Amino acid sequence: MSEENGIPDELAPEPAVPDLSAGIPTTDQVVADLREFYAAVLEYPREMVNPDTNIEFDLGVDSMQQTELLVRVVARYGLEPEEVNASVYLTLTDVADYVVDRLKSTSRT
């Protein structure tokens, strides 16, 4: 586990990167992927990571960890990083909505 951000450096393999060839995924599809991703990265049982679980209060993820996780999520979906306050995305559903919105805006350009 990294001393700097509390996120494990060496993990079991992360879930496969989502296949975006079929188009933009739904929020529910992204949430399902994020449940697997967050559970693997944070080393929590998948059952503890639910769509409406509060990332900070229920999972104990501080703002620095939230930023690191959001950077990794954005990269998983092939999006360019942007400066954003990760702590405003309180739940996996919030993060999924952000990802889907970014994917939609990227596909329009």
Side-chain angles (χ1 to χ4, degrees):
M1 188 167 296
S2 170
E3 296 271 333
E4 293 175 17
N5 61 20
I7 296 175
D9 290 327
E10 295 190 22
L11 309 167
E14 289 180 7
V17 174
D19 178 12
L20 301 177
S21 64
I24 296 173
T26 65
T27 298
D28 288 341
Q29 291 169 322
V30 176
V31 166
D33 173 60
L34 293 179
R35 285 186 74 192
E36 297 294 331
F37 177 77
Y38 275 65
V41 170
L42 297 173
E43 299 179 332
Y44 280 121
R46 186 177 180 274
E47 300 78 38
M48 287 184 62
V49 184
N50 295 303
D52 295 321
T53 299
N54 186 293
I55 295 168
E56 181 177 0
F57 297 114
D58 296 330
L59 300 179
V61 178
D62 66 28
S63 61
M64 181 184 271
Q65 291 171 319
Q66 288 180 42
T67 300
E68 174 65 25
L69 286 166
L70 189 59
V71 166
R72 290 171 71 175
V73 166
V74 166
R76 281 178 67 74
Y77 283 88
L79 297 165
E80 292 294 321
E82 68 177 9
E83 194 168 321
V84 64
N85 181 357
S87 62
V88 301
Y89 304 107
L90 303 177
T91 66
L92 293 186
T93 300
D94 294 338
V95 174
D97 286 338
Y98 169 73
V99 168
V100 171
D101 289 346
R102 289 277 318 275
L103 288 169
K104 287 178 180 176
S105 68
T106 301
S107 71
R108 286 190 292 249
T109 59

